[in-house]
Amino acid sequence: MSGRALALGGGGPVGIAWESGLIAGLAESGIDLSGADFIVGTSAGSVVGAQIAMGRTPAALVEPFIGNAEPSPPPNESTPPDLSQLIGKLMESCAGVRPAEDVLRELGAWAMRTSVVNTSVVNEDAFVASFAG
């Protein structure tokens, strides 16, 4: 038994855009991956792979990313995060000032105490709808 398989990786929204653009670019060059016999993907790759498996053309995959629409504004955060503590700890580890395990333990504890980005400003329905075709 022989056939062609397409395996796609992760990468979040950027991965979806990158894989979509790569597949569309290859199709324009005569390499159409949409005819694969088996399509598998993880995370972003599963989104792109599912669209291909459902018959969406490579050109249609990339359309949401090359349209003339203005890019979405960044979330309205009052101040950017202060990452100086993170950078300082990473530098201590890389320079051998402190054992990496100790630094990573501190970073993990710090991350658990840190608040997350406000996701209420993200319109998930619009994001998902952009892939519905």
Side-chain angles (χ1 to χ4, degrees):
M1 182 173 150
S2 65
R4 296 183 316 159
L6 175 60
L8 300 164
V14 173
I16 293 170
W18 186 83
E19 290 176 354
S20 297
L22 180 65
I23 290 168
L26 287 170
E28 287 178 8
S29 298
I31 303 169
D32 188 2
L33 300 178
S34 64
D37 301 308
F38 183 75
I39 301 170
V40 63
T42 185
S43 191
S46 67
V47 173
V48 175
Q51 291 180 73
I52 293 171
M54 292 187 305
R56 196 157 190 198
T57 66
L61 281 177
V62 77
E63 186 57 37
F65 307 107
I66 61 171
N68 294 327
E70 287 291 317
S72 301
N76 186 11
E77 297 293 327
S78 58
T79 59
D82 178 9
L83 300 178
S84 58
Q85 182 181 8
L86 171 66
I87 301 302
K89 289 187 180 299
L90 291 174
M91 288 174 63
E92 289 176 1
S93 175
C94 291
V97 174
R98 298 185 45 224
E101 294 83 12
D102 293 347
V103 173
L104 292 174
R105 199 172 295 112
E106 284 181 30
L107 289 176
W110 178 59
M112 295 298 290
R113 293 188 309 269
T114 304
S115 62
V116 297
V117 172
N118 181 1
T119 58
S120 66
V121 298
V122 176
N123 186 339
E124 293 175 8
D125 292 334
F127 178 75
V128 172
S130 71
F131 300 103

mmCIF file of all heavy atoms in Angstrom, residues 11-65:
data_model
loop_
_atom_site.group_PDB
_atom_site.id
_atom_site.type_symbol
_atom_site.label_atom_id
_atom_site.label_comp_id
_atom_site.label_asym_id
_atom_site.label_seq_id
_atom_site.Cartn_x
_atom_site.Cartn_y
_atom_site.Cartn_z
ATOM 1 N N GLY A 11 1.679 25.739 16.445
ATOM 2 C CA GLY A 11 2.183 27.101 16.348
ATOM 3 C C GLY A 11 1.149 28.177 16.600
ATOM 4 O O GLY A 11 1.410 29.352 16.344
ATOM 5 N N GLY A 12 -0.032 27.806 17.056
ATOM 6 C CA GLY A 12 -1.053 28.813 17.354
ATOM 7 C C GLY A 12 -1.507 29.552 16.102
ATOM 8 O O GLY A 12 -1.343 29.058 14.981
ATOM 9 N N PRO A 13 -2.043 30.746 16.270
ATOM 10 C CA PRO A 13 -2.516 31.514 15.110
ATOM 11 C C PRO A 13 -1.419 31.797 14.084
ATOM 12 O O PRO A 13 -1.669 31.783 12.888
ATOM 13 C CB PRO A 13 -3.029 32.820 15.734
ATOM 14 C CG PRO A 13 -3.373 32.461 17.135
ATOM 15 C CD PRO A 13 -2.384 31.396 17.530
ATOM 16 N N VAL A 14 -0.199 32.027 14.556
ATOM 17 C CA VAL A 14 0.904 32.258 13.624
ATOM 18 C C VAL A 14 1.194 30.992 12.832
ATOM 19 O O VAL A 14 1.449 31.037 11.625
ATOM 20 C CB VAL A 14 2.166 32.741 14.378
ATOM 21 C CG1 VAL A 14 3.371 32.816 13.455
ATOM 22 C CG2 VAL A 14 1.903 34.095 15.030
ATOM 23 N N GLY A 15 1.136 29.848 13.492
ATOM 24 C CA GLY A 15 1.345 28.573 12.807
ATOM 25 C C GLY A 15 0.277 28.315 11.754
ATOM 26 O O GLY A 15 0.578 27.802 10.676
ATOM 27 N N ILE A 16 -0.954 28.657 12.061
ATOM 28 C CA ILE A 16 -2.043 28.483 11.090
ATOM 29 C C ILE A 16 -1.764 29.341 9.856
ATOM 30 O O ILE A 16 -1.862 28.871 8.720
ATOM 31 C CB ILE A 16 -3.408 28.854 11.715
ATOM 32 C CG1 ILE A 16 -3.770 27.844 12.808
ATOM 33 C CG2 ILE A 16 -4.499 28.903 10.646
ATOM 34 C CD1 ILE A 16 -4.971 28.240 13.645
ATOM 35 N N ALA A 17 -1.399 30.601 10.081
ATOM 36 C CA ALA A 17 -1.114 31.497 8.956
ATOM 37 C C ALA A 17 0.097 31.010 8.169
ATOM 38 O O ALA A 17 0.077 30.983 6.930
ATOM 39 C CB ALA A 17 -0.880 32.917 9.473
ATOM 40 N N TRP A 18 1.146 30.608 8.865
ATOM 41 C CA TRP A 18 2.374 30.171 8.194
ATOM 42 C C TRP A 18 2.126 28.913 7.364
ATOM 43 O O TRP A 18 2.505 28.844 6.196
ATOM 44 C CB TRP A 18 3.478 29.929 9.221
ATOM 45 C CG TRP A 18 4.792 29.622 8.596
ATOM 46 C CD1 TRP A 18 5.709 30.519 8.126
ATOM 47 C CD2 TRP A 18 5.339 28.329 8.333
ATOM 48 N NE1 TRP A 18 6.797 29.861 7.606
ATOM 49 C CE2 TRP A 18 6.588 28.517 7.717
ATOM 50 C CE3 TRP A 18 4.886 27.038 8.568
ATOM 51 C CZ2 TRP A 18 7.401 27.464 7.331
ATOM 52 C CZ3 TRP A 18 5.692 25.979 8.182
ATOM 53 C CH2 TRP A 18 6.935 26.193 7.566
ATOM 54 N N GLU A 19 1.472 27.909 7.968
ATOM 55 C CA GLU A 19 1.199 26.668 7.242
ATOM 56 C C GLU A 19 0.262 26.909 6.072
ATOM 57 O O GLU A 19 0.451 26.338 4.991
ATOM 58 C CB GLU A 19 0.637 25.608 8.187
ATOM 59 C CG GLU A 19 1.674 25.092 9.164
ATOM 60 C CD GLU A 19 1.125 24.103 10.167
ATOM 61 O OE1 GLU A 19 -0.107 23.870 10.205
ATOM 62 O OE2 GLU A 19 1.932 23.546 10.928
ATOM 63 N N SER A 20 -0.729 27.761 6.261
ATOM 64 C CA SER A 20 -1.652 28.086 5.170
ATOM 65 C C SER A 20 -0.899 28.740 4.016
ATOM 66 O O SER A 20 -1.092 28.383 2.842
ATOM 67 C CB SER A 20 -2.763 29.022 5.657
ATOM 68 O OG SER A 20 -3.547 28.388 6.645
ATOM 69 N N GLY A 21 -0.027 29.692 4.338
ATOM 70 C CA GLY A 21 0.763 30.363 3.305
ATOM 71 C C GLY A 21 1.721 29.422 2.610
ATOM 72 O O GLY A 21 1.884 29.472 1.380
ATOM 73 N N LEU A 22 2.341 28.531 3.365
ATOM 74 C CA LEU A 22 3.262 27.559 2.778
ATOM 75 C C LEU A 22 2.523 26.625 1.821
ATOM 76 O O LEU A 22 2.975 26.390 0.693
ATOM 77 C CB LEU A 22 3.949 26.753 3.874
ATOM 78 C CG LEU A 22 4.937 25.699 3.402
ATOM 79 C CD1 LEU A 22 6.120 26.333 2.718
ATOM 80 C CD2 LEU A 22 5.400 24.856 4.577
ATOM 81 N N ILE A 23 1.393 26.125 2.251
ATOM 82 C CA ILE A 23 0.613 25.212 1.404
ATOM 83 C C ILE A 23 0.127 25.931 0.152
ATOM 84 O O ILE A 23 0.186 25.382 -0.955
ATOM 85 C CB ILE A 23 -0.555 24.606 2.219
ATOM 86 C CG1 ILE A 23 0.012 23.634 3.265
ATOM 87 C CG2 ILE A 23 -1.562 23.909 1.310
ATOM 88 C CD1 ILE A 23 -0.986 23.185 4.303
ATOM 89 N N ALA A 24 -0.343 27.175 0.299
ATOM 90 C CA ALA A 24 -0.795 27.939 -0.872
ATOM 91 C C ALA A 24 0.362 28.232 -1.816
ATOM 92 O O ALA A 24 0.227 28.123 -3.038
ATOM 93 C CB ALA A 24 -1.465 29.242 -0.426
ATOM 94 N N GLY A 25 1.517 28.589 -1.265
ATOM 95 C CA GLY A 25 2.691 28.870 -2.094
ATOM 96 C C GLY A 25 3.168 27.636 -2.856
ATOM 97 O O GLY A 25 3.523 27.721 -4.041
ATOM 98 N N LEU A 26 3.165 26.501 -2.176
ATOM 99 C CA LEU A 26 3.554 25.255 -2.854
ATOM 100 C C LEU A 26 2.562 24.924 -3.965
ATOM 101 O O LEU A 26 2.962 24.489 -5.054
ATOM 102 C CB LEU A 26 3.658 24.109 -1.847
ATOM 103 C CG LEU A 26 4.864 24.151 -0.914
ATOM 104 C CD1 LEU A 26 4.721 23.111 0.197
ATOM 105 C CD2 LEU A 26 6.153 23.941 -1.688
ATOM 106 N N ALA A 27 1.274 25.116 -3.697
ATOM 107 C CA ALA A 27 0.254 24.837 -4.722
ATOM 108 C C ALA A 27 0.460 25.730 -5.941
ATOM 109 O O ALA A 27 0.339 25.266 -7.078
ATOM 110 C CB ALA A 27 -1.149 25.021 -4.142
ATOM 111 N N GLU A 28 0.785 27.003 -5.718
ATOM 112 C CA GLU A 28 1.036 27.920 -6.831
ATOM 113 C C GLU A 28 2.253 27.490 -7.644
ATOM 114 O O GLU A 28 2.343 27.773 -8.831
ATOM 115 C CB GLU A 28 1.253 29.342 -6.316
ATOM 116 C CG GLU A 28 -0.007 30.021 -5.837
ATOM 117 C CD GLU A 28 0.261 31.409 -5.281
ATOM 118 O OE1 GLU A 28 1.410 31.911 -5.400
ATOM 119 O OE2 GLU A 28 -0.675 31.993 -4.717
ATOM 120 N N SER A 29 3.157 26.770 -7.003
ATOM 121 C CA SER A 29 4.369 26.291 -7.685
ATOM 122 C C SER A 29 4.194 24.894 -8.274
ATOM 123 O O SER A 29 5.154 24.295 -8.741
ATOM 124 C CB SER A 29 5.540 26.272 -6.697
ATOM 125 O OG SER A 29 5.805 27.563 -6.234
ATOM 126 N N GLY A 30 2.980 24.358 -8.187
ATOM 127 C CA GLY A 30 2.706 23.064 -8.785
ATOM 128 C C GLY A 30 2.758 21.886 -7.839
ATOM 129 O O GLY A 30 2.632 20.735 -8.260
ATOM 130 N N ILE A 31 2.939 22.123 -6.560
ATOM 131 C CA ILE A 31 2.960 21.040 -5.574
ATOM 132 C C ILE A 31 1.707 21.170 -4.714
ATOM 133 O O ILE A 31 1.646 21.959 -3.772
ATOM 134 C CB ILE A 31 4.221 21.110 -4.695
ATOM 135 C CG1 ILE A 31 5.463 21.076 -5.569
ATOM 136 C CG2 ILE A 31 4.239 19.985 -3.675
ATOM 137 C CD1 ILE A 31 6.745 21.407 -4.833
ATOM 138 N N ASP A 32 0.686 20.397 -5.064
ATOM 139 C CA ASP A 32 -0.600 20.493 -4.378
ATOM 140 C C ASP A 32 -0.676 19.448 -3.277
ATOM 141 O O ASP A 32 -0.842 18.259 -3.541
ATOM 142 C CB ASP A 32 -1.747 20.314 -5.370
ATOM 143 C CG ASP A 32 -3.100 20.593 -4.742
ATOM 144 O OD1 ASP A 32 -3.156 20.959 -3.545
ATOM 145 O OD2 ASP A 32 -4.101 20.437 -5.461
ATOM 146 N N LEU A 33 -0.549 19.876 -2.034
ATOM 147 C CA LEU A 33 -0.583 18.966 -0.891
ATOM 148 C C LEU A 33 -1.999 18.555 -0.513
ATOM 149 O O LEU A 33 -2.182 17.639 0.284
ATOM 150 C CB LEU A 33 0.104 19.623 0.311
ATOM 151 C CG LEU A 33 1.566 20.003 0.127
ATOM 152 C CD1 LEU A 33 2.102 20.684 1.382
ATOM 153 C CD2 LEU A 33 2.403 18.793 -0.229
ATOM 154 N N SER A 34 -2.997 19.219 -1.083
ATOM 155 C CA SER A 34 -4.379 18.914 -0.703
ATOM 156 C C SER A 34 -4.822 17.543 -1.194
ATOM 157 O O SER A 34 -5.856 17.050 -0.765
ATOM 158 C CB SER A 34 -5.330 20.003 -1.200
ATOM 159 O OG SER A 34 -5.343 20.047 -2.609
ATOM 160 N N GLY A 35 -4.043 16.915 -2.051
ATOM 161 C CA GLY A 35 -4.386 15.581 -2.528
ATOM 162 C C GLY A 35 -3.807 14.459 -1.685
ATOM 163 O O GLY A 35 -3.832 13.294 -2.096
ATOM 164 N N ALA A 36 -3.294 14.779 -0.507
ATOM 165 C CA ALA A 36 -2.703 13.758 0.354
ATOM 166 C C ALA A 36 -3.743 12.711 0.739
ATOM 167 O O ALA A 36 -4.918 13.017 0.943
ATOM 168 C CB ALA A 36 -2.115 14.400 1.608
ATOM 169 N N ASP A 37 -3.295 11.464 0.847
ATOM 170 C CA ASP A 37 -4.185 10.368 1.236
ATOM 171 C C ASP A 37 -4.440 10.342 2.735
ATOM 172 O O ASP A 37 -5.453 9.819 3.199
ATOM 173 C CB ASP A 37 -3.561 9.030 0.813
ATOM 174 C CG ASP A 37 -3.328 8.966 -0.681
ATOM 175 O OD1 ASP A 37 -4.289 9.232 -1.437
ATOM 176 O OD2 ASP A 37 -2.183 8.676 -1.094
ATOM 177 N N PHE A 38 -3.511 10.883 3.489
ATOM 178 C CA PHE A 38 -3.618 10.881 4.945
ATOM 179 C C PHE A 38 -3.126 12.233 5.446
ATOM 180 O O PHE A 38 -2.037 12.674 5.081
ATOM 181 C CB PHE A 38 -2.756 9.757 5.537
ATOM 182 C CG PHE A 38 -2.864 9.629 7.015
ATOM 183 C CD1 PHE A 38 -3.980 9.070 7.606
ATOM 184 C CD2 PHE A 38 -1.840 10.071 7.835
ATOM 185 C CE1 PHE A 38 -4.083 8.951 8.981
ATOM 186 C CE2 PHE A 38 -1.925 9.965 9.218
ATOM 187 C CZ PHE A 38 -3.048 9.398 9.788
ATOM 188 N N ILE A 39 -3.932 12.906 6.255
ATOM 189 C CA ILE A 39 -3.578 14.220 6.779
ATOM 190 C C ILE A 39 -3.661 14.162 8.292
ATOM 191 O O ILE A 39 -4.665 13.734 8.852
ATOM 192 C CB ILE A 39 -4.528 15.314 6.248
ATOM 193 C CG1 ILE A 39 -4.489 15.362 4.720
ATOM 194 C CG2 ILE A 39 -4.172 16.673 6.839
ATOM 195 C CD1 ILE A 39 -5.565 16.229 4.098
ATOM 196 N N VAL A 40 -2.574 14.579 8.940
ATOM 197 C CA VAL A 40 -2.540 14.599 10.396
ATOM 198 C C VAL A 40 -1.895 15.906 10.838
ATOM 199 O O VAL A 40 -1.017 16.435 10.161
ATOM 200 C CB VAL A 40 -1.764 13.379 10.968
ATOM 201 C CG1 VAL A 40 -0.310 13.402 10.551
ATOM 202 C CG2 VAL A 40 -1.892 13.295 12.482
ATOM 203 N N GLY A 41 -2.376 16.451 11.935
ATOM 204 C CA GLY A 41 -1.805 17.691 12.436
ATOM 205 C C GLY A 41 -2.016 17.808 13.925
ATOM 206 O O GLY A 41 -2.922 17.203 14.493
ATOM 207 N N THR A 42 -1.168 18.601 14.545
ATOM 208 C CA THR A 42 -1.313 18.881 15.960
ATOM 209 C C THR A 42 -1.533 20.376 16.138
ATOM 210 O O THR A 42 -0.909 21.172 15.442
ATOM 211 C CB THR A 42 -0.079 18.410 16.758
ATOM 212 O OG1 THR A 42 -0.319 18.593 18.141
ATOM 213 C CG2 THR A 42 1.169 19.152 16.372
ATOM 214 N N SER A 43 -2.444 20.735 17.002
ATOM 215 C CA SER A 43 -2.735 22.131 17.311
ATOM 216 C C SER A 43 -3.035 22.921 16.041
ATOM 217 O O SER A 43 -4.017 22.618 15.357
ATOM 218 C CB SER A 43 -1.579 22.736 18.111
ATOM 219 O OG SER A 43 -1.929 23.984 18.623
ATOM 220 N N ALA A 44 -2.213 23.892 15.686
ATOM 221 C CA ALA A 44 -2.452 24.684 14.472
ATOM 222 C C ALA A 44 -2.545 23.783 13.249
ATOM 223 O O ALA A 44 -3.365 24.001 12.357
ATOM 224 C CB ALA A 44 -1.335 25.710 14.282
ATOM 225 N N GLY A 45 -1.719 22.749 13.208
ATOM 226 C CA GLY A 45 -1.739 21.819 12.086
ATOM 227 C C GLY A 45 -3.051 21.076 11.958
ATOM 228 O O GLY A 45 -3.476 20.739 10.852
ATOM 229 N N SER A 46 -3.718 20.839 13.084
ATOM 230 C CA SER A 46 -5.020 20.164 12.998
ATOM 231 C C SER A 46 -6.070 21.072 12.387
ATOM 232 O O SER A 46 -6.958 20.606 11.668
ATOM 233 C CB SER A 46 -5.461 19.669 14.384
ATOM 234 O OG SER A 46 -5.745 20.758 15.243
ATOM 235 N N VAL A 47 -5.964 22.383 12.649
ATOM 236 C CA VAL A 47 -6.903 23.344 12.056
ATOM 237 C C VAL A 47 -6.707 23.384 10.545
ATOM 238 O O VAL A 47 -7.658 23.279 9.761
ATOM 239 C CB VAL A 47 -6.714 24.749 12.667
ATOM 240 C CG1 VAL A 47 -7.556 25.784 11.943
ATOM 241 C CG2 VAL A 47 -7.045 24.729 14.152
ATOM 242 N N VAL A 48 -5.456 23.525 10.116
ATOM 243 C CA VAL A 48 -5.153 23.595 8.687
ATOM 244 C C VAL A 48 -5.469 22.260 8.019
ATOM 245 O O VAL A 48 -6.089 22.209 6.956
ATOM 246 C CB VAL A 48 -3.679 24.000 8.455
ATOM 247 C CG1 VAL A 48 -3.332 23.964 6.985
ATOM 248 C CG2 VAL A 48 -3.412 25.378 9.038
ATOM 249 N N GLY A 49 -5.058 21.168 8.644
ATOM 250 C CA GLY A 49 -5.307 19.839 8.081
ATOM 251 C C GLY A 49 -6.785 19.526 7.931
ATOM 252 O O GLY A 49 -7.211 18.954 6.924
ATOM 253 N N ALA A 50 -7.585 19.934 8.909
ATOM 254 C CA ALA A 50 -9.027 19.694 8.832
ATOM 255 C C ALA A 50 -9.642 20.453 7.658
ATOM 256 O O ALA A 50 -10.512 19.933 6.950
ATOM 257 C CB ALA A 50 -9.705 20.099 10.138
ATOM 258 N N GLN A 51 -9.161 21.679 7.442
ATOM 259 C CA GLN A 51 -9.681 22.463 6.325
ATOM 260 C C GLN A 51 -9.338 21.810 4.990
ATOM 261 O O GLN A 51 -10.174 21.752 4.085
ATOM 262 C CB GLN A 51 -9.119 23.886 6.376
ATOM 263 C CG GLN A 51 -9.664 24.675 7.555
ATOM 264 C CD GLN A 51 -9.101 26.063 7.566
ATOM 265 O OE1 GLN A 51 -9.492 26.880 6.740
ATOM 266 N NE2 GLN A 51 -8.183 26.326 8.476
ATOM 267 N N ILE A 52 -8.112 21.313 4.870
ATOM 268 C CA ILE A 52 -7.713 20.628 3.638
ATOM 269 C C ILE A 52 -8.545 19.365 3.455
ATOM 270 O O ILE A 52 -9.034 19.090 2.361
ATOM 271 C CB ILE A 52 -6.204 20.296 3.670
ATOM 272 C CG1 ILE A 52 -5.389 21.578 3.623
ATOM 273 C CG2 ILE A 52 -5.825 19.385 2.508
ATOM 274 C CD1 ILE A 52 -3.909 21.357 3.873
ATOM 275 N N ALA A 53 -8.710 18.602 4.531
ATOM 276 C CA ALA A 53 -9.481 17.354 4.453
ATOM 277 C C ALA A 53 -10.939 17.608 4.064
ATOM 278 O O ALA A 53 -11.571 16.773 3.427
ATOM 279 C CB ALA A 53 -9.406 16.616 5.788
ATOM 280 N N MET A 54 -11.462 18.786 4.423
ATOM 281 C CA MET A 54 -12.844 19.122 4.077
ATOM 282 C C MET A 54 -12.968 19.702 2.676
ATOM 283 O O MET A 54 -14.042 20.083 2.244
ATOM 284 C CB MET A 54 -13.413 20.112 5.094
ATOM 285 C CG MET A 54 -13.604 19.508 6.469
ATOM 286 S SD MET A 54 -14.459 20.587 7.656
ATOM 287 C CE MET A 54 -13.475 22.065 7.616
ATOM 288 N N GLY A 55 -11.827 19.812 1.963
ATOM 289 C CA GLY A 55 -11.884 20.257 0.583
ATOM 290 C C GLY A 55 -11.594 21.726 0.342
ATOM 291 O O GLY A 55 -11.744 22.213 -0.780
ATOM 292 N N ARG A 56 -11.189 22.439 1.349
ATOM 293 C CA ARG A 56 -10.854 23.852 1.150
ATOM 294 C C ARG A 56 -9.587 23.934 0.300
ATOM 295 O O ARG A 56 -8.615 23.244 0.544
ATOM 296 C CB ARG A 56 -10.633 24.534 2.488
ATOM 297 C CG ARG A 56 -10.655 26.027 2.398
ATOM 298 C CD ARG A 56 -10.996 26.643 3.716
ATOM 299 N NE ARG A 56 -11.239 28.060 3.532
ATOM 300 C CZ ARG A 56 -11.227 28.920 4.511
ATOM 301 N NH1 ARG A 56 -11.011 28.524 5.732
ATOM 302 N NH2 ARG A 56 -11.462 30.191 4.275
ATOM 303 N N THR A 57 -9.593 24.790 -0.693
ATOM 304 C CA THR A 57 -8.450 24.905 -1.598
ATOM 305 C C THR A 57 -7.287 25.616 -0.906
ATOM 306 O O THR A 57 -7.508 26.408 0.019
ATOM 307 C CB THR A 57 -8.824 25.694 -2.867
ATOM 308 O OG1 THR A 57 -9.111 27.043 -2.497
ATOM 309 C CG2 THR A 57 -9.996 25.058 -3.590
ATOM 310 N N PRO A 58 -6.060 25.371 -1.357
ATOM 311 C CA PRO A 58 -4.923 26.094 -0.783
ATOM 312 C C PRO A 58 -5.082 27.608 -0.878
ATOM 313 O O PRO A 58 -4.738 28.335 0.057
ATOM 314 C CB PRO A 58 -3.736 25.587 -1.599
ATOM 315 C CG PRO A 58 -4.125 24.198 -1.983
ATOM 316 C CD PRO A 58 -5.607 24.301 -2.261
ATOM 317 N N ALA A 59 -5.624 28.105 -1.974
ATOM 318 C CA ALA A 59 -5.829 29.553 -2.123
ATOM 319 C C ALA A 59 -6.823 30.063 -1.079
ATOM 320 O O ALA A 59 -6.653 31.152 -0.526
ATOM 321 C CB ALA A 59 -6.314 29.879 -3.528
ATOM 322 N N ALA A 60 -7.860 29.289 -0.804
ATOM 323 C CA ALA A 60 -8.852 29.692 0.196
ATOM 324 C C ALA A 60 -8.271 29.640 1.607
ATOM 325 O O ALA A 60 -8.674 30.424 2.473
ATOM 326 C CB ALA A 60 -10.091 28.811 0.100
ATOM 327 N N LEU A 61 -7.316 28.747 1.840
ATOM 328 C CA LEU A 61 -6.679 28.656 3.157
ATOM 329 C C LEU A 61 -5.998 29.968 3.540
ATOM 330 O O LEU A 61 -6.058 30.410 4.679
ATOM 331 C CB LEU A 61 -5.601 27.567 3.166
ATOM 332 C CG LEU A 61 -6.009 26.124 3.284
ATOM 333 C CD1 LEU A 61 -4.779 25.231 3.198
ATOM 334 C CD2 LEU A 61 -6.768 25.867 4.560
ATOM 335 N N VAL A 62 -5.323 30.554 2.569
ATOM 336 C CA VAL A 62 -4.502 31.727 2.847
ATOM 337 C C VAL A 62 -5.296 33.037 2.763
ATOM 338 O O VAL A 62 -4.846 34.067 3.260
ATOM 339 C CB VAL A 62 -3.264 31.736 1.915
ATOM 340 C CG1 VAL A 62 -3.614 32.185 0.528
ATOM 341 C CG2 VAL A 62 -2.158 32.566 2.494
ATOM 342 N N GLU A 63 -6.458 33.020 2.200
ATOM 343 C CA GLU A 63 -7.237 34.242 1.983
ATOM 344 C C GLU A 63 -7.443 35.085 3.244
ATOM 345 O O GLU A 63 -7.280 36.306 3.187
ATOM 346 C CB GLU A 63 -8.588 33.908 1.334
ATOM 347 C CG GLU A 63 -9.393 35.130 0.954
ATOM 348 C CD GLU A 63 -8.659 36.081 0.003
ATOM 349 O OE1 GLU A 63 -7.928 35.610 -0.880
ATOM 350 O OE2 GLU A 63 -8.806 37.297 0.173
ATOM 351 N N PRO A 64 -7.780 34.500 4.390
ATOM 352 C CA PRO A 64 -7.976 35.359 5.574
ATOM 353 C C PRO A 64 -6.724 36.131 5.981
ATOM 354 O O PRO A 64 -6.806 37.132 6.667
ATOM 355 C CB PRO A 64 -8.366 34.384 6.686
ATOM 356 C CG PRO A 64 -8.821 33.149 5.996
ATOM 357 C CD PRO A 64 -8.090 33.106 4.686
ATOM 358 N N PHE A 65 -5.568 35.665 5.540
ATOM 359 C CA PHE A 65 -4.317 36.280 5.972
ATOM 360 C C PHE A 65 -3.746 37.269 4.965
ATOM 361 O O PHE A 65 -2.836 38.012 5.288
ATOM 362 C CB PHE A 65 -3.275 35.194 6.262
ATOM 363 C CG PHE A 65 -3.800 34.154 7.216
ATOM 364 C CD1 PHE A 65 -4.121 32.891 6.774
ATOM 365 C CD2 PHE A 65 -4.008 34.469 8.541
ATOM 366 C CE1 PHE A 65 -4.627 31.946 7.646
ATOM 367 C CE2 PHE A 65 -4.515 33.531 9.413
ATOM 368 C CZ PHE A 65 -4.830 32.265 8.964
#
